[in-house]
Amino acid sequence: MKQAMTVFYRSIFDTYQHLWTLVWATMLWWICILPVVTSGPATAGLFYVVKKIRNGEPAVPGDFFKGAHKYKGIGLKISCCSIFITVPGGIYFFILLGTGSFIAYFTAMIILYMVLMWFLLLLYVMPLMVEQDIHSLSLLLKRSFRLLSENYLFTINMALYLLLLTFFSTVITIIMAVWAGWIAKNAYNALIFLLHKHEVADYEFSGDVSWKGAWRTWK
């Protein structure tokens, strides 16, 4: 719980520090996911922008499309996997719930668990793909599953924070302008936090932030 809060708090700070960049990246993301199947490449473009921010490099709208194009192939595969898992999963879940039998109800719970596990896996899939430049879906899923299985409680806590963020975004609709970028920043920081635990020399994460002088980042 404490580790997830550290990552979440750091992400609040990072999002504010790069607010304008994440706003235009989020706007591009909303536009590019309209065909649905393009959600994978669009999300890859968003994480590509987040990676540039983390590396201290200037990011421009062209970087969004560069990232989307670079990971177009594997991004489309991830989109198709998400559609294949969530759409039939949701349909069968409600159909089984309506039957009233114990076996159907039990099966519905298994389907729901599998769908939820997929969404938890996605917390690492996209940032890991961009961070380590992975273009193999099987390798990407394998590494993401390892991160999830070895850090299950941390992942659950992060997912709850992101659900809370999503809830506030629906209540305070102006937050939707930066919602996707904020979610991506959380996911990227969560990945780097876990990679730092295992490979200290290669990845650096610090939960220490200072708001002094940070309130007007545009100055």
Side-chain angles (χ1 to χ4, degrees):
M1 184 74 171
K2 184 178 179 181
Q3 293 178 336
M5 175 56 77
T6 299
V7 173
F8 186 69
Y9 182 62
R10 174 75 206 201
S11 299
I12 293 175
F13 179 79
D14 290 344
T15 299
Y16 183 78
Q17 289 288 91
H18 304 281
L19 186 59
W20 169 241
T21 300
L22 293 178
V23 165
W24 61 251
T26 297
M27 293 297 99
L28 288 175
W29 181 82
W30 279 117
I31 295 170
C32 292
I33 66 167
L34 290 177
V36 181
V37 73
T38 58
S39 59
T43 305
L46 181 62
F47 275 103
Y48 191 80
V49 171
V50 171
K51 181 182 179 180
K52 295 206 71 172
I53 290 174
R54 183 182 180 275
N55 291 340
E57 302 173 8
V60 296
D63 292 319
F64 177 93
F65 296 104
K66 180 180 179 180
H69 178 73
K70 181 177 182 179
Y71 299 100
K72 178 177 63 177
I74 189 170
L76 288 172
K77 291 179 182 178
I78 294 172
S79 297
C80 292
C81 286
S82 294
I83 294 171
F84 179 77
I85 292 172
T86 56
V87 175
I91 293 173
Y92 284 124
F93 173 76
F94 288 107
I95 290 176
L96 291 170
L97 280 185
T99 61
S101 70
F102 173 78
I103 294 179
Y105 182 79
F106 181 75
T107 305
M109 293 301 104
I110 293 177
I111 292 175
L112 178 62
Y113 177 77
M114 292 176 63
V115 172
L116 291 177
M117 284 292 291
W118 172 253
F119 280 111
L120 290 178
L121 199 65
L122 287 179
L123 184 64
Y124 303 119
V125 166
M126 284 297 185
L128 189 63
M129 176 185 69
V130 175
E131 174 63 26
Q132 298 187 347
D133 196 24
I134 300 174
H135 291 265
S136 168
L137 182 60
S138 59
L139 178 61
L140 182 59
L141 293 177
K142 186 185 300 182
R143 292 185 179 180
S144 299
F145 182 75
R146 181 178 177 182
L147 286 171
L148 171 60
S149 60
E150 293 180 357
N151 304 275
Y152 191 71
L153 291 179
F154 171 82
T155 307
I156 290 290
N157 284 319
M158 284 300 306
L160 290 175
Y161 287 134
L162 298 186
L163 282 175
L164 185 64
L165 172 58
T166 301
F167 170 76
F168 280 113
S169 297
T170 58
V171 175
I172 310 173
T173 53
I174 193 172
I175 300 179
M176 296 301 291
V178 73
W179 173 78
W182 197 348
I183 292 287
K185 203 72 184 73
N186 274 277
Y188 213 102
N189 280 345
L191 172 69
I192 299 300
F193 174 81
L194 295 181
L195 293 177
H196 174 71
K197 288 172 58 178
H198 300 288
E199 302 176 44
V200 179
D202 297 325
Y203 296 95
E204 180 180 352
F205 179 87
S206 174
D208 298 328
V209 299
S210 175
W211 289 95
K212 184 178 180 180
W215 293 107
R216 294 183 291 177
T217 58
W218 58 87
K219 292 271 185 179

